[in-house]
Amino acid sequence: MPDIRADGLAFQYPDQPPLFEDLTFRIGHGTTALTGPSGSGKSTLLGILAGWLRPSHGDVSNLPSRTQWVLQSPIGSPRRSALSHVELPLLAAGALLQDASAEAYDILARVGLDAVAERPLRHLSGGEAQRLMLARAMAAKPELMLVDEPTASLDATSAATVIEVIHALADIGMPIVIATHDLHLADACRSRIEVRR
Ligand SMILES: Nc1ncnc2c1ncn2[C@@H]1O[C@H](COP(=O)(O)OP(=O)(O)OP(=O)(O)O)[C@@H](O)[C@H]1O
Ligand SMILES: [Mg+2]
């Protein structure tokens, strides 16, 4: 897939001062951190990359249509196992149960959750649940993954496990864009875009 390119991007909510002006960047495969102070427009920029918001100036080219979000608070079925959360998108895409299970295990192993595959979501720690959300998003095989503040609601120890996984995904075949305040997380990414007013 060609790099996503933004040229001279600016954004302004109605009756508000401009959030950012003249942002130019490329996003290739692997992880890209979006950093900047609170309120600088990181989530807004994710919304532009998702195709939900139109920039006020400039344009984005090569935006893929199949985008997957990973939200800050893990959402799933509390009583269902970690494994079944990752199987579901594979089954929805037409895989047989046996194949879906095997592939879901592989994906869980990538995020360090193979040992807790059978555990229900409600018994996972915060860091485990957040990694499960990454695994589920990967199982949907999107062309672009958008992750908003994956460590914001975690204590330092849980955040470290998420950062380790992000580090391991640095060169994955699809682009993963991660909005974050966390400089350790940003350092674990392959590249970085700074959003500032
Ligand atoms: N729909 C909206 N209408 C008007 N202003 C908005 C809207 N959504 C967000 N804003 C404002 O735009 C600014 C940027 O918001 P955004 O959520 O993109 O920042 P952020 O960098 O993600 O911040 P944080 O690090 O706190 O998550 C904020 O001042 C916010 O209040
Ligand atoms: Mg935000």
Side-chain angles (χ1 to χ4, degrees), residues 10-183:
F11 189 88
Q12 187 166 14
Y13 285 106
D15 307 319
Q16 303 283 324
L19 275 182
F20 43 81
E21 293 175 289
D22 206 20
L23 264 185
T24 295
F25 56 81
R26 277 167 171 262
I27 297 171
H29 78 280
T31 51
T32 298
L34 279 187
T35 59
S38 181
S40 58
K42 300 181 295 296
S43 298
T44 300
L45 184 52
L46 288 181
I48 292 174
L49 294 174
W52 291 355
L53 295 169
R54 285 241 316 253
S56 337
H57 292 285
D59 44 34
V60 188
S61 43
N62 305 326
L63 258 192
S65 53
R66 284 194 314 108
T67 298
Q68 191 73 40
W69 280 89
V70 178
L71 300 172
Q72 191 180 312
S73 354
I75 295 171
S77 313
R79 288 163 198 277
R80 276 180 33 227
S81 69
L83 184 68
S84 72
H85 282 82
V86 184
E87 281 170 350
L88 199 61
L90 299 167
L91 293 170
L96 299 174
L97 182 57
Q98 213 178 8
D99 300 335
S101 294
E103 191 174 350
Y105 256 112
D106 287 346
I107 297 173
L108 283 173
R110 285 196 85 151
V111 301
L113 291 181
D114 40 333
V116 298
E118 307 297 344
R119 201 172 289 174
L121 173 60
R122 64 182 169 151
H123 291 161
L124 297 182
S125 71
E128 287 168 344
Q130 191 53 257
R131 283 181 280 148
L132 178 61
M133 296 300 111
L134 289 168
R136 180 174 64 182
M138 288 194 287
K141 304 198 176 117
E143 298 165 291
L144 169 65
M145 245 167 89
L146 301 174
V147 188
D148 204 356
E149 305 277 7
T151 57
S153 60
L154 301 177
D155 62 48
T157 313
S158 305
T161 67
V162 172
I163 291 168
E164 225 171 272
V165 165
I166 298 292
H167 193 255
L169 298 178
D171 268 320
I172 197 172
M174 72 179 106
I176 304 182
V177 182
I178 306 161
T180 187
H181 288 114
D182 184 333
L183 294 181

